[in-house]
Amino acid sequence: MLKQERAVITRQQIVNGAAEMFDRVGYERASLAEIVELSGITKGALYFHFKSKDELASVVIDEQHAISMKAVEAITSSGEPGLDQLAMLCYEMGRQMVEDSIVRAGIRLTLEMSAEGGPRKPYADWIDACELVVRAGIDEGDVVDTVVPEELGRFIVGAFTGVQLVSNVLTGREDLYERIDQMLSFLLPGIMAPRRRHKIDRIRDARWTPSAG
């Protein structure tokens, strides 16, 4: 059991080191030698757990997606109004990008690899989540029923992706929360029923707090 526990710890140590390197320099410029050094393990240990840089990148993406989808599932089952959930999703994705190197690396890798037919599932699942909360907003009367949920879900993900990329380029994401708030301030008046727009400030303030567990 102790040997298995050590193996699990070593594997996660490698994933963490790889994520930090991918986050710093991207997939192409990251080398296995640098990942070994950053992880504090031997090359033999790395090859015991992972066959290639491709496999490591795939695992980082998978871990990032699992982290993000765990939050999505918690938010969409919270019972909060649909548009509150939308704001919570945007801010939680922002928080993860600011605080978690695995999330930053996974999103960077997904963006880089998508140019060459890379992973689509992280985007597809995120779009589905946004579509779900938009449908709830329509059912609750907060969102005008002329909105097409599938189209708005795709637009929100595209808008957030652009916002976080520009924030990263200009400020290293130091202003990401402010830029997310700005995005919502432009988006919400355009999709909300006029009689419900008095809720906009409250919706923009909606946050989800991860449980300690």
Side-chain angles (χ1 to χ4, degrees):
M1 181 60 71
L2 288 175
K3 185 175 181 180
Q4 290 176 346
E5 289 175 356
R6 284 198 299 272
V8 169
I9 291 170
T10 299
R11 185 181 188 279
Q12 191 60 50
Q13 196 174 341
I14 296 167
V15 171
N16 292 343
E20 188 172 340
M21 185 57 62
F22 289 137
D23 177 36
R24 287 183 190 176
V25 302
Y27 177 81
E28 291 297 335
R29 292 174 57 198
S31 72
L32 289 177
E34 290 172 318
I35 291 170
V36 165
E37 182 178 357
L38 192 59
S39 302
I41 47 88
T42 65
K43 183 176 285 189
L46 185 146
Y47 282 111
F48 176 81
H49 290 280
F50 301 100
K51 297 175 183 176
S52 65
K53 188 167 74 168
D54 278 351
E55 185 178 351
L56 254 177
S58 179
V59 169
V60 170
I61 291 172
D62 287 346
E63 287 210 8
Q64 174 267 310
H65 189 52
I67 291 167
S68 296
M69 291 311 297
K70 182 179 179 181
V72 167
E73 290 165 6
I75 290 169
T76 56
S77 61
S78 66
E80 296 294 330
L83 287 184
D84 289 56
Q85 291 181 29
L86 174 61
M88 291 174 180
L89 285 171
C90 291
Y91 281 110
E92 173 57 15
M93 293 304 106
R95 184 197 67 79
Q96 289 182 4
M97 296 189 78
V98 169
E99 298 182 6
D100 194 322
S101 62
I102 288 179
V103 171
R104 289 194 299 274
I107 289 175
R108 176 168 183 166
L109 289 168
T110 300
L111 280 169
E112 290 180 355
M113 293 179 174
S114 63
E116 301 177 0
R120 296 167 52 91
K121 184 173 174 55
Y123 283 114
D125 286 349
W126 193 11
I127 290 169
D128 287 346
C130 289
E131 178 186 337
L132 180 68
V133 299
V134 169
R135 289 187 184 280
I138 293 172
D139 291 343
E140 293 156 358
D142 288 334
V143 177
V144 292
D145 59 10
T146 54
V147 164
V148 179
E150 299 91 337
E151 294 178 0
L152 183 56
R154 184 184 290 263
F155 174 79
I156 291 166
V157 172
F160 181 92
T161 300
V163 163
Q164 70 87 5
L165 281 173
V166 174
S167 174
N168 186 38
V169 170
L170 296 182
T171 71
R173 297 197 183 96
E174 288 183 4
D175 69 345
L176 181 55
Y177 297 134
E178 183 181 351
R179 299 283 79 83
I180 292 171
D181 181 65
Q182 187 179 67
M183 181 187 82
L184 292 173
S185 74
F186 287 126
L187 173 69
L188 293 173
I191 66 172
M192 290 184 71
R195 67 186 183 281
R196 301 296 180 92
R197 289 176 187 164
H198 65 277
K199 299 180 178 182
I200 287 177
D201 288 345
R202 193 213 71 216
I203 292 167
R204 286 167 56 190
D205 287 338
R207 301 290 186 274
W208 175 76
T209 303
S211 62

